[in-house]
């Protein structure tokens, strides 16, 4: 038990480069595997949270663009969404890394983007923005006509109508599907070091450490299930958090309707 | 392939490419495209079946079955597909062989686990060790389909579960009023009516499934990404008649175009299916179609 | 000494005949590690190990079939019984010997070289690129140098060319053709690093008959000099032989 605490001290923040410099090379206790894979989760959470937060705003803009009357707004938004939704993340990472490498030689500003913490974050951000934009666009299309008419009748227009009526209704309608997207994005963060970006000084995400152990022990049946366990816990966390937000989004609805929605949400996700 | 390909080093650009693009390895690359499409076409209905079973189990009134269904949906959805693929295929393969071993070689006295080795009797091997290579490949392909189906079945189960709940209750009550049994209501009303609610979610899932195919090489299938990496890598003149530099960029560009086209075609087809399903439904879309028909 | 080796060889070879009757030996390889094993223009597995393996099977009178498998899962699939041997340029190490058995080596240990763009790179503290999961990556991780790991070998060379890394550490035989083709752009620099105990054929620990059979066949190829011929054919005049 104390030796495990010691391991956590040594390796708990190893993925950030803090703690023991050398990874364990023999023995490989369960505690070491759980600690290091957990340490790698820091990166998965970092990529997931930041990409989702930033992607949310771009997605709103893109959805509005795709919904716009003007061709000049609509076409670029449509193409952006199609390009990022139509190709595997695998390939997006590949091209992004090549692109950032060549940009780096043009201007030193791009230097950080060849490292995963910035480069992969940009790709994940654009990717989730495209997927979320499609969800938001679908929601925009199904906003009840009456809501907009009521806003007009109250003399609202432009920004105030968008902020008070269109946007909240869109979110409410899109939320269950958006929760799914958050889960998918979070899972996609495992691809960062697996295919796209190099790992420096053995600082990687959870999958990087899991495959490190699988490679050293030649036994895939321990590290990967540990990894799976961490992800199940985090997925449940996402579902709980998004459930809370959903409740807040629907707090104005009559008690009965709200209850029903919440119940249904929990089961559908 | 062509008769003038005997000595590629002497060829001009155009015939060189004609020869290069028709080598045996490139043929394997083209076959891989077909493999991906076939795998997707088989996986989709199988995953749908898994999804259906999962949703039915989750809806069951018998608690253990319902818990089983819900556990399947929650666990498999919670795990990233890569992590699942990295250990599940070997586990599945060992599981099947272990079962066969128990049935076929009951007189076997050695342990199945010897250190890190997994040893079953020769008859229990699947496919048999002496089987032709294509049998092994087909078996690997089948394992990949099952693995993909289990993963995407969990997501499909989730969508179908939601869709079944979305069917208006009044429609089911109408069935009851006509004197239908629970079973009849389920089969004649709930199943046909739920598709229109399930399709948007299922289409989205299909799009995600298409984009998961680059992970096939983890399951031991030589898919298009495997070949693109392999063929695009720098080739030394010592080991091939067609030396070239790092061409991965171009090969990946081909893959990009393939995936974009595949996505576009799928979008168009799914749009048509949605139009048909919407016809006569009591939804906003159905209402719009009705009005358009009246005008 | 020689006599005992020969005696065991004969013994094991006759055991091999017994094996041949009831099983096909499936040979696992990666198919992407020239010149050891690679996929040729016709789409078949080719290379030093293909030629050597076929000859070994021939001498042991076994029917052999080649199977390609991804490098990362090559050992788990062997112990799981999806094929019976690994010939994939696999260096014998203590770690691997804990899980699987190896035959005697069929290529002597060759130290791994560094490759860089110029002579004056700092190998002690610079940025060294290596492929994830290789012996070289594990070695660099323990030195003061900064390790940068890529999923494929091609990416390590690309990183060297783009300046992301100062040097690449990899197997000599794999780097040699790359350096040769670069017409002076890439150079071998610094001291070579001895890693591992040569390259051998991996078999399951529970499959000691098969290991003895192949061990004997390798011995007989070492005896009559045919292994050396193959080594020179695939790795050039200067390569280490027996």
């Amino acid at each position: 038990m104390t030796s495990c605490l010691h391991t956590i001290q040594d390796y708990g923040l190893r993925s950030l480069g803090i703690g023991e410099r050398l990874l364990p090379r023999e023995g490989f206790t369960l505690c070491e595997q759980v600690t290091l894979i957990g340490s790698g989760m820091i990166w998965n959470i970092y990529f997931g949270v930041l990409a989702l937060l930033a992607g949310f705003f771009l997605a709103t803009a893109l959805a509005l663009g795709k919904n716009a009357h003007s061709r000049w707004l609509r076409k670029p938004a449509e193409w952006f969404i199609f390009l990022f939704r139509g190709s595997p993340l695998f390939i997006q990472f590949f091209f992004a890394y090549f692109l950032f490498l060549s940009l780096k030689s043009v201007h030193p500003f791009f230097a950080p983007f060849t490292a995963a913490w910035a480069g992969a974050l940009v790709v994940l951000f654009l990717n989730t923005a495209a997927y979320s934009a499609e969800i938001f666009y679908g929601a925009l299309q199904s906003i009840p006509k009456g809501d907009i008419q009521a806003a007009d009748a109250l003399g609202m227009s432009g920004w105030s109508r968008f902020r008070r009526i269109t946007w909240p209704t869109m979110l409410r309608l899109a939320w269950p599907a958006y929760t799914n997207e958050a889960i998918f994005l979070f899972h996609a963060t495992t691809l960062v070091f697996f295919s796209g970006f190099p790992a420096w000084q053995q600082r990687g995400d959870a999958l990087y450490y899991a495959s490190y152990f699988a490679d050293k022990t030649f036994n895939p049946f321990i590290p990967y299930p540990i990894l799976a366990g961490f992800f199940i816990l985090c997925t449940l966390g996402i579902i709980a958090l998004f459930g809370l937000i959903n409740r807040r989004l629907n707090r104005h609805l009559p008690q009965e309707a709200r209850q029903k929605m919440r119940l249904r949400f929990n089961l559908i996700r | 392939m062509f008769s003038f390909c005997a000595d590629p080093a002497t060829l001009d650009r155009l015939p060189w490419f004609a020869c290069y693009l028709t080598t045996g390895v490139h043929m394997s690359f083209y076959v891989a495209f077909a493999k991906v499409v076939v795998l997707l076409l088989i996986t989709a209905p199988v995953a749908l079946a898994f999804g259906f079973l999962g949703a039915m189990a989750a809806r069951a009134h018998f608690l253990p079955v319902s818990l089983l269904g819900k556990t399947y949906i929650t666990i498999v959805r919670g795990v990233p597909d890569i992590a699942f693929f990295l250990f599940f295929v070997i586990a599945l393969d060992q599981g099947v062989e272990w079962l066969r071993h128990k049935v076929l070689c009951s007189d076997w006295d050695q342990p199945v686990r010897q250190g890190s080795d997994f040893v079953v009797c020769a008859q229990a091997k699947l496919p048999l060790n002496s089987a032709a290579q294509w049998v092994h490949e087909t078996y690997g392909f089948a394992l990949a389909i099952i693995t993909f189906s289990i993963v995407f079945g969990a997501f499909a189960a989730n969508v179908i579960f939601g869709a079944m709940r979305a069917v208006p209750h009044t429609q089911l009550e109408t069935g009851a009023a006509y004197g239908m049994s629970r079973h009849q209501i389920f089969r004649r009303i709930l199943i046909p009516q739920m598709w229109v609610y399930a399709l948007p979610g299922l289409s989205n899932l299909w799009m995600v499934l298409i984009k998961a195919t680059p992970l096939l090489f983890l399951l031991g299938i030589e898919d298009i990404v495997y070949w693109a990496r392999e063929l695009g890598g720098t080739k030394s003149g010592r080991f091939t008649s067609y030396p070239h530099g790092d061409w991965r960029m171009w090969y990946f560009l081909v893959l990009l175009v393939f995936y974009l086209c595949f996505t576009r075609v799928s979008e168009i087809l799914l749009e048509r299916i949605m139009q048909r399903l919407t016809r006569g439904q009591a939804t906003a879309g159905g209402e719009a179609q009705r009005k358009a028909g009246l005008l | 000494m020689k006599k005992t080796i020969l005696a065991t060889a004969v013994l094991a070879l006759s055991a091999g005949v017994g094996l041949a009757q009831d099983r096909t030996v499936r040979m696992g390889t990666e198919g992407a590690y020239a010149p050891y094993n690679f996929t040729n223009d016709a789409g078949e597995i080719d290379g030093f190990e293909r030629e050597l393996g076929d000859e070994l099977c021939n001498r042991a009178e076994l029917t052999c079939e080649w199977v390609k498998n991804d490098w990362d899962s090559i050992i788990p699939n062997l112990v799981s019984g999806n094929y019976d041997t690994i010939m994939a340029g696999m260096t014998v190490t203590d770690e691997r010997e804990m899980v699987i058995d190896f035959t005697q080596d069929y290529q002597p240990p060759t130290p791994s070289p560094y490759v860089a763009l110029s002579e004056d790179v700092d190998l002690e503290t610079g940025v060294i690129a290596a492929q994830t999961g290789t012996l070289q990556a594990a070695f660099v991780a323990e030195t003061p140098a900064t390790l940068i790991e890529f999923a494929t070998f091609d990416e390590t060379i690309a990183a060297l060319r783009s300046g992301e890394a100062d040097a690449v550490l990899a197997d000599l035989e794999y780097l040699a053709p790359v350096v040769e083709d670069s017409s002076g752009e890439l150079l071998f620099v610094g001291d070579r690093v001895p890693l591992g105990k040569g390259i051998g054929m991996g078999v399951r620990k529970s499959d000691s008959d098969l290991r003895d059979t192949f061990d004997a066949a390798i011995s007989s190829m070492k005896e009559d000099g045919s292994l050396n011929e193959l080594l020179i054919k695939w790795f050039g005049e200067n390569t280490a032989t027996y």
Side-chain angles (χ1 to χ4, degrees), chain B residues 39 43 85 88-89 92 137-152 209 215-221:
Chain B
L39 181 120
T43 304
F85 292 164
F88 186 75
V89 180
L92 185 66
E137 276 173 22
T138 314
Y139 177 69
F141 200 70
L143 281 185
I145 287 175
I146 294 173
T147 316
F148 255 75
S149 301
I150 289 177
V151 172
F152 285 89
L209 178 64
L215 298 178
L216 270 177
F217 79 89
L218 294 180
L219 303 180
I221 307 276

Side-chain angles (χ1 to χ4, degrees), chain A residues 60 63 136 139-140 143 165-175:
Chain A
T60 310
F136 290 166
L140 275 181
I143 288 180
I165 309 292
T166 319
W167 195 61
T169 314
M170 175 192 90
L171 282 186
R172 208 157 38 238
L173 292 172
W175 208 254

Side-chain angles (χ1 to χ4, degrees), chain B residues 24-52:
Chain B
V25 257
H26 275 84
M27 291 303 165
S28 311
F29 180 47
Y30 307 139
V31 170
F33 282 94
K35 271 192 202 168
V36 167
V37 175
V38 169
L39 181 120
L40 282 173
L41 291 181
I42 302 177
T43 304
V46 179
L48 209 56
F50 271 96
F52 209 80

Side-chain angles (χ1 to χ4, degrees), chain B residues 197-257:
Chain B
Y197 300 99
L199 198 68
L202 290 179
S203 328
N204 200 36
L205 207 53
W206 168 252
M207 297 294 174
V208 176
L209 178 64
I210 295 175
K211 263 130 255 161
T213 49
L215 298 178
L216 270 177
F217 79 89
L218 294 180
L219 303 180
I221 307 276
E222 284 161 9
D223 71 321
I224 47 182
V225 173
Y226 170 87
W227 283 115
R229 269 187 174 176
E230 166 71 26
L231 295 171
T234 312
K235 290 280 177 296
S236 161
R238 282 177 54 196
F239 310 118
T240 168
S241 317
Y242 305 92
H244 59 74
D246 189 347
W247 283 3
R248 284 177 304 155
M249 177 76 98
W250 306 113
Y251 281 91
F252 273 85
L253 211 56
V254 172
L255 296 195
L256 182 68
V257 172

Side-chain angles (χ1 to χ4, degrees), chain C residues 18-190:
Chain C
L19 276 173
Q21 282 152 358
D22 55 348
R23 69 193 262 191
T24 308
V25 176
R26 289 166 57 79
M27 317 271 277
T29 192
E30 190 196 2
Y33 200 61
Y36 291 95
N37 55 79
F38 60 92
T39 315
N40 65 17
D41 290 338
E44 288 153 1
I45 294 167
D46 201 341
F48 167 64
E49 285 169 332
R50 171 73 204 254
E51 208 171 320
L52 174 65
D54 283 349
E55 176 59 23
L56 291 176
C57 289
N58 196 12
R59 290 188 185 213
E61 296 181 35
L62 292 166
T63 331
C64 290
E65 187 151 25
W66 290 87
V67 186
K68 261 199 270 183
N69 196 89
D70 189 44
W71 173 258
D72 289 337
S73 62
I74 206 163
I75 290 182
N77 272 304
L78 175 78
V79 297
S80 182
N82 290 341
Y83 34 79
D84 306 303
T85 68
I86 296 175
M87 283 186 94
M90 185 176 276
T91 306
V92 184
T93 63
D94 294 336
E95 282 172 357
R96 288 174 182 150
E97 278 182 317
M98 305 235 288
V99 182
I100 59 173
D101 269 354
F102 284 96
T103 62
Q104 57 178 305
D105 53 334
Y106 54 75
Q107 188 188 29
T110 36
S112 303
Y114 289 98
V115 164
L117 295 175
S118 77
E119 287 285 357
D120 48 81
V121 291
D122 183 3
L123 297 175
E124 297 291 310
T125 56
V127 178
I128 311 291
Q131 194 179 343
T132 317
T134 56
L135 295 178
Q136 287 83 7
F139 170 79
V140 179
E142 290 176 33
T143 67
T146 303
L147 168 67
I148 172 170
E149 287 171 284
F150 289 88
T152 63
F153 174 73
D154 272 313
E155 285 166 292
T156 61
I157 297 290
L160 180 61
R161 291 209 160 106
S162 69
E164 281 287 277
D166 299 329
V168 170
L169 183 65
D171 278 343
L172 169 68
E173 312 297 357
Y174 195 63
L175 281 174
V178 179
V179 173
E180 210 174 283
D181 288 354
S182 72
S183 53
E185 188 199 359
L186 302 177
L187 310 162
F188 286 119
V189 294

